Amino acid sequence: MAVVQHASYDDWRRVYGDVYEALPGRPDTPCPNCGHKALRLEFVARESDRIGYAMFWCDFCRFGIRISRTWVPTGVPFHAMGTTPEELRKTVPEYTVVYPPPAADPEDFEEVTF
Ligand SMILES: [Zn+2]
């Protein structure tokens, strides 16, 4: 099975926005890369203020993005900051991280507030 990457970072960000907004629900959003409804979103955050980062990927084609700073919505479970990579690996498989183009405005790295 060879899935060629065709979804851009912006495509992924758009879909991430849809999925994030629907939390704690789980929308039937198809993967921007392969079209399968196998998207997964996991958070690692501080217990105190629920600020942390997110991993967003597709379980089918194993492509995805990382969100460097975000807030975990109320009612959504997350992994505690300090969770080891080995522990995370039980939930989060290795996947190919899609990055923004090098020329992208640094602002694009900031989390969008919904
Ligand atoms: Zn996919």
Side-chain angles (χ1 to χ4, degrees), residues 50-66:
R50 303 175 73 90
I51 296 287
Y53 62 93
M55 290 152 293
F56 183 54
W57 77 98
C58 169
D59 252 348
F60 191 87
C61 65
R62 296 282 172 92
F63 274 89
I65 57 173
R66 285 170 173 274

Side-chain angles (χ1 to χ4, degrees), residues 1-4 9 12 16 21 23 27-28 35 42 44 48 52 56 70 75 77 80 85 91 94 99:
M1 179 193 71
V3 176
V4 178
Y9 179 79
W12 278 102
Y16 169 78
E21 273 188 285
L23 290 171
D28 255 3
E42 290 286 335
V44 177
S48 53
F56 183 54
T70 189
T91 313
E94 283 194 63
Y99 293 101

Side-chain angles (χ1 to χ4, degrees), residues 31 33-34 58 61:
C31 168
N33 204 51
C34 71
C58 169
C61 65

